[in-house]
Amino acid sequence: EVQLLESGGGLVQPGGSLRLSCAASGFTFSSYAMSWVRQAPGKGLEWVSAISGSGGSTYYADSVKGRFTISRDNSKNTLYLQMNSLRAEDTAVYYCAKDSIAAAALDAFDIWGQGTMVTVSS
Amino acid sequence: EIVMTQSPATLSVSPGERATLSCRASQSVSSNLAWYQQKPGQAPRLLIYGASTRATGIPARFSGSGSGTEFTLTISSLQSEDFAVYYCQQYNNWPPTFGGGTKVEIK
């Protein structure tokens, strides 16, 4: 079964850091680009960042550029999101999501994790 | 970035009736348009990609149409499990962007 499982969320003070992880199983992880998508409480979906299957290409939303870093370890089938200089407006459920087509640069997301909550508050 | 606008924000429909949801892009996204369903407390689920192709396991009552800037998701006969929020998403240009969602509620 194809599965994504996020972890690492929690409560952090403004200006603090957090690293999210997403463990993948049931598919050839290195063949697919992966993304992080977030959802603030009661709000819609916002794409945050993406990384190619090899990890050689990364993409960021303007709202997180320079503060967040996406990476992956294909030997561990794990995706990461390092979040620094966190702000109150970063408070959201963070989902990892898998591209539906192997080797696609930009694609629909066919598999989503259950999400991990990040709360930025003093 | 491409702005995706969904209408209406809320759609009140009786079980068994047809629901028609709209999504408009601020510029052409060709057919690179997906629809997702999200229920409270759950992750989004892919329904439609390529504007009109149903994802694996999605019932035939869900159909998508359109290209360019105008898209429609139709649910032919609403079932109780279909009451949820629906989002469209373009993946033609970076960054990928989502519409604000349409909540389908029981009338």
Side-chain angles (χ1 to χ4, degrees):
Chain A
E1 180 189 6
V2 178
Q3 201 167 7
L4 299 172
L5 186 63
E6 302 96 337
S7 60
L11 175 64
V12 61
Q13 292 187 338
S17 298
L18 212 54
R19 189 176 85 153
L20 306 182
S21 299
C22 171
S25 59
F27 64 100
T28 306
F29 182 66
S30 60
S31 294
Y32 292 86
M34 299 289 296
S35 283
W36 290 97
V37 177
R38 69 185 179 184
Q39 186 170 36
K43 302 297 184 181
L45 301 168
E46 179 190 16
W47 172 82
V48 172
S49 183
I51 187 168
S52 63
S54 66
S57 297
T58 57
Y59 310 84
Y60 297 95
D62 286 346
S63 58
V64 306
K65 201 172 294 182
R67 301 187 298 122
F68 289 11
T69 301
I70 191 171
S71 63
R72 63 192 297 159
D73 185 336
N74 287 342
S75 69
K76 295 182 178 179
N77 288 349
T78 302
L79 174 72
Y80 302 100
L81 186 67
Q82 177 67 44
M83 304 185 295
N84 298 331
S85 303
L86 282 160
R87 306 167 179 167
E89 54 266 35
D90 296 318
T91 294
V93 174
Y94 284 73
Y95 297 100
C96 61
K98 168 188 166 291
D99 272 14
S100 65
I101 298 176
L106 186 54
D107 196 13
F109 305 126
D110 66 341
I111 302 296
W112 297 63
Q114 88 290 348
T116 187
M117 182 70 203
V118 172
T119 303
V120 184
S121 175
S122 55
Chain B
E1 74 178 39
I2 296 176
V3 176
M4 306 301 292
T5 303
Q6 291 187 242
S7 61
T10 304
L11 188 61
S12 298
V13 185
S14 299
E17 289 188 341
R18 173 188 294 259
T20 303
L21 289 66
S22 295
C23 175
R24 174 177 293 178
S26 60
Q27 64 188 75
S28 177
V29 298
S30 186
S31 294
N32 296 312
L33 190 285
W35 289 95
Y36 301 88
Q37 177 193 67
Q38 187 179 34
K39 297 179 181 179
Q42 296 186 16
R45 176 175 71 145
L46 178 65
L47 298 176
I48 301 285
Y49 63 93
S52 61
T53 303
R54 278 189 303 277
T56 303
I58 301 304
R61 65 181 181 272
F62 290 92
S63 64
S65 63
S67 66
T69 61
E70 300 283 344
F71 301 89
T72 300
L73 175 70
T74 302
I75 311 171
S76 60
S77 176
L78 271 159
Q79 306 298 301
S80 58
E81 61 266 31
D82 300 335
F83 292 96
V85 179
Y86 293 82
Y87 294 95
C88 62
Q89 177 225 344
Q90 69 81 19
Y91 52 96
N92 194 65
N93 292 69
W94 290 102
T97 47
F98 293 89
T102 291
K103 181 179 181 181
V104 178
E105 64 176 25
I106 300 174
K107 186 174 182 180

